[in-house]
Amino acid sequence: MLLSGKNGAKTADAGAVEKNGGHAPAQDRAQDREQDQDHHSRHGQEQGQGQGHGFASLLAVEDGIVYKPAAEGHTRWYRRLLDAGVEENGIKPVPAGDRTNMQYNNLFTVFFTGLLCILPLPTGMLATTVFQLSLRDASLTILFFSALCTVPPAFMGCGGYKTGLRQMIQARYSWGLYIVTILLFLNAATVTGFSIVAAIVSGQTIAAISPGNVSVTVGIVIVILVSFVLSLLGYRVLHIWERWQWLPNLIVITITVGVGGRHLANQQQVPSATASQVLSYGGLIAGYFITFGGTASDFSIYHDPRARLRKIFTYIYLGIFTPSVPLLILGAAMGGAVPVVTGWAEAYEEYGTGGVMAAMLEPAGGFGKFVLVLLALSVVGNIGISMYPVALNLQMLIPAFTKVPRFLFTLAVTALMIPLSIAASRAWEESLENFLAVIGYWAGFFDAVLIEEAVVFRRLNWDSFDHSIWNVGRKLPSGIAALAASLLSLGLVIPSISEVWFVGPLAKTSGDIGFELAFFGTALFYFPLRWLEIKWRGHL
């Protein structure tokens, strides 16, 4: 037995709950909620008596405090923001009684719409422009690695509606309250990086509408500000937006392919792919997909926990996989045609992916320029859902940040993204390749630990993610096992890296297999280390 007798009893209780359809009877759940409310009320009174008044007490955060909608006690301007749809809750756990959203298909549309845009195109283009794969080899590589690497984030996204915890709060139950801070920075940087990629592609597309009159910089600023407004409104508005924006996005992408698609059959001639090429590009695809594991639960924490796990997994999996794969392959086809089709190489050199799309739509004249505008705006939903978890990550850095309104962090992220996007656009292709490769390594460590923790050590007993300890460091795991497992697997990853700035001895013959070793190496090392930690501390 991995768990102590006390924890084993909890697991048995959880098994009984599963037999009743994955939830306790309504009467029991109501009694539990009343007990929780009484506990937190008494706890808050005790905390208040000891803390006194003033600025310090205002920023103090109670141990185990959970989210409760509070219409009273807000200033007039703040209530107006809430009335407009701005989300009130930040990172506090959402009790089961407040998880009532039964529109589970939102979990499909929020990802489907966010990815049904021009963001995947440049990643697909790297297959044929940088890695020199044929369209056939690129397509097969994309299909295989996408199917495999969408599984971790789809599973991890299920933890949100089952636990009521944000993704990086769930991480505290394996990485600990303090060590998880490292991952908060990495996750925020990753998600911001994807937003920067989306903003650059959009800016390039806007600039290509009127060459010489509108710069890429202006286009970047426009799309980031529009996305800021969407992200500011929060969870509910994001789901509404993502439910419908996919339709115009799909129409304009279809028009673009219909107008310029006849050129995509003209592909550059390259030798058959080597194992090194396939594995190296596959590592980039892994970096594209598995990093969703750091944010997937953030969009499901208000959904009713009674739904079957398989149902939620399927919605999230298809929401990520379905739009990404065709667009990645379309990007590969565009990249393979760039050296062959007249004018495309110049357009790509000047405006990147946006320039190629402008060349494809050139026969449509003024209507083609209108389509380009809509293509540029197609990333708004993607950047919006990216800014949302980044702001949440920043709230988790310091306990006092829990009481700071989330929209202030969204504003800070926006202010940071604009200069970073402008700087990255100057060395576009190199920035994208290095970014996708590096993020795949840390995401492999992270995803492996969270999945193994939930499946092996907690045995899918979601009640073991106790809300009363979500911000109590002494009761959470130390995080030492997760950190040590990651560092040990890093010793395998470094010799397997193949980048412009470093090629490890293993990678010289095998290609870049750093992601694979990061994921499976961490999973292998984490098992004995976490087992020892549980024995040492006497609890999960």
Side-chain angles (χ1 to χ4, degrees):
M1 292 291 289
L2 290 173
L3 309 179
S4 64
K6 182 178 179 180
N7 287 324
K10 288 184 178 181
T11 303
D13 292 341
V17 170
E18 286 294 319
K19 291 178 182 178
N20 286 317
H23 61 286
Q27 183 177 359
D28 293 342
R29 294 173 64 199
Q31 291 174 353
D32 290 343
R33 288 199 301 272
E34 291 175 2
Q35 291 173 1
D36 288 344
Q37 290 170 359
D38 291 341
H39 167 76
H40 291 301
S41 176
R42 291 194 302 270
H43 190 80
Q45 292 173 1
E46 293 169 0
Q47 292 283 330
Q49 292 171 1
Q51 290 170 352
H53 303 284
F55 184 71
S57 63
L58 180 66
L59 293 180
V61 180
E62 301 170 16
D63 288 353
I65 188 172
V66 298
Y67 168 66
K68 294 183 180 63
E72 304 297 330
H74 292 310
T75 60
R76 181 178 301 176
W77 67 270
Y78 192 74
R79 286 199 300 270
R80 287 177 178 174
L81 287 176
L82 296 180
D83 292 340
V86 174
E87 183 185 2
E88 180 181 17
N89 185 31
I91 63 173
K92 296 174 186 174
V94 180
D98 293 317
R99 282 178 259 153
T100 57
N101 188 349
M102 299 187 71
Q103 292 182 311
Y104 300 110
N105 58 2
N106 283 349
L107 298 173
F108 171 80
T109 56
V110 73
F111 291 105
F112 180 81
T113 302
L115 292 169
L116 189 66
C117 63
I118 57 178
L119 172 62
L121 296 178
T123 303
M125 292 183 75
L126 291 177
T128 44
T129 59
V130 174
F131 290 88
Q132 294 295 296
L133 294 170
S134 68
L135 179 57
R136 184 201 64 179
D137 293 337
S139 300
L140 292 174
T141 302
I142 289 169
L143 185 61
F144 174 78
F145 278 90
S146 300
L148 187 65
C149 296
T150 308
V151 172
F155 173 78
M156 294 166 71
C158 296
Y161 89 106
K162 284 293 189 182
T163 66
L165 300 171
R166 303 285 189 181
Q167 192 73 73
M168 298 306 287
I169 295 295
Q170 289 178 48
R172 291 180 177 181
Y173 292 77
S174 50
W175 290 86
L177 180 64
Y178 306 108
I179 293 178
V180 80
T181 303
I182 302 171
L183 302 177
L184 291 174
F185 282 110
L186 289 171
N187 194 50
T190 297
V191 179
T192 303
F194 273 112
S195 298
I196 288 172
V197 172
I200 292 173
V201 178
S202 179
Q204 292 172 336
T205 306
I206 292 174
I209 296 171
S210 182
N213 295 321
V214 179
S215 68
V216 174
T217 298
V218 171
I220 288 172
V221 173
I222 290 172
V223 73
I224 290 179
L225 291 179
V226 173
S227 303
F228 163 72
V229 175
L230 176 63
S231 178
L232 179 69
L233 297 177
Y235 169 93
R236 187 174 299 127
V237 175
L238 278 172
H239 273 293
I240 294 173
W241 178 278
E242 304 296 350
R243 177 177 286 274
W244 298 109
Q245 198 204 2
W246 68 269
L247 184 58
N249 289 1
L250 178 61
I251 291 172
V252 294
I253 291 171
T254 303
I255 291 172
T256 304
V257 176
V259 173
R262 66 182 185 277
H263 297 297
L264 298 180
N266 302 319
Q267 294 288 307
Q268 62 182 340
Q269 298 299 313
V270 294
S272 297
T274 64
S276 177
Q277 286 175 294
V278 170
L279 289 172
S280 295
Y281 182 64
L284 292 192
I285 296 298
Y288 177 93
F289 282 99
I290 66 168
T291 48
F292 285 102
T295 61
S297 280
D298 295 341
F299 301 98
S300 67
I301 65 166
Y302 297 105
H303 284 79
D304 195 306
R306 292 174 292 180
R308 288 183 177 273
L309 195 72
R310 184 183 303 173
K311 179 179 182 179
I312 304 303
F313 174 89
T314 302
Y315 274 135
I316 298 175
Y317 184 95
L318 293 178
I320 297 173
F321 180 86
T322 306
S324 297
V325 170
L327 289 170
L328 288 167
I329 293 174
L330 174 60
M334 291 166 59
V338 164
V340 180
V341 180
T342 303
W344 282 26
E346 293 77 9
Y348 183 66
E349 180 68 25
E350 188 68 23
Y351 296 112
T353 306
V356 177
M357 289 189 294
M360 292 174 68
L361 288 165
E362 190 173 0
F367 176 70
K369 294 184 181 296
F370 172 71
V371 172
L372 279 175
V373 173
L374 297 181
L375 285 170
L377 295 177
S378 70
V379 303
V380 168
N382 183 280
I383 299 176
I385 65 172
S386 298
M387 286 182 174
Y388 178 71
V390 171
L392 294 172
N393 280 189
L394 295 178
Q395 277 191 299
M396 297 175 200
L397 288 175
I398 299 175
F401 283 1
T402 303
K403 292 196 172 183
V404 178
R406 182 185 55 81
F407 68 85
L408 294 179
F409 293 100
T410 305
L411 180 61
V413 172
T414 302
L416 181 65
M417 276 182 57
I418 291 175
L420 289 177
S421 300
I422 294 170
S425 67
R426 296 174 187 144
W428 162 239
E429 201 170 69
E430 295 84 352
S431 299
L432 177 61
E433 182 184 355
N434 291 330
F435 167 71
L436 287 173
V438 172
I439 62 174
Y441 305 140
W442 89 263
F445 303 142
F446 176 77
D447 288 18
V449 167
L450 260 67
I451 292 172
E452 188 169 349
E453 178 70 27
V455 175
V456 177
F457 293 101
R458 297 181 185 269
R459 302 181 183 181
L460 297 183
N461 174 13
W462 304 105
D463 292 334
S464 68
F465 290 85
D466 185 359
H467 285 191
S468 68
I469 66 170
W470 73 274
N471 61 347
V472 185
R474 66 185 181 277
K475 294 184 179 180
L476 289 165
S478 67
I480 294 174
L483 180 62
S486 300
L487 292 175
L488 288 171
S489 64
L490 184 62
L492 301 175
V493 171
I494 292 176
S496 308
I497 292 176
S498 178
E499 300 298 331
V500 174
W501 38 271
F502 176 77
V503 179
L506 290 177
K508 291 179 180 178
T509 55
S510 66
D512 192 326
I513 55 173
F515 154 70
E516 293 87 343
L517 291 177
F519 185 88
F520 292 106
T522 302
L524 179 65
F525 291 124
Y526 185 65
F527 182 84
L529 291 171
R530 181 69 169 121
W531 183 83
L532 288 172
E533 182 183 35
I534 293 171
K535 287 292 185 182
W536 167 46
R537 304 192 71 191
H539 62 81
L540 283 172

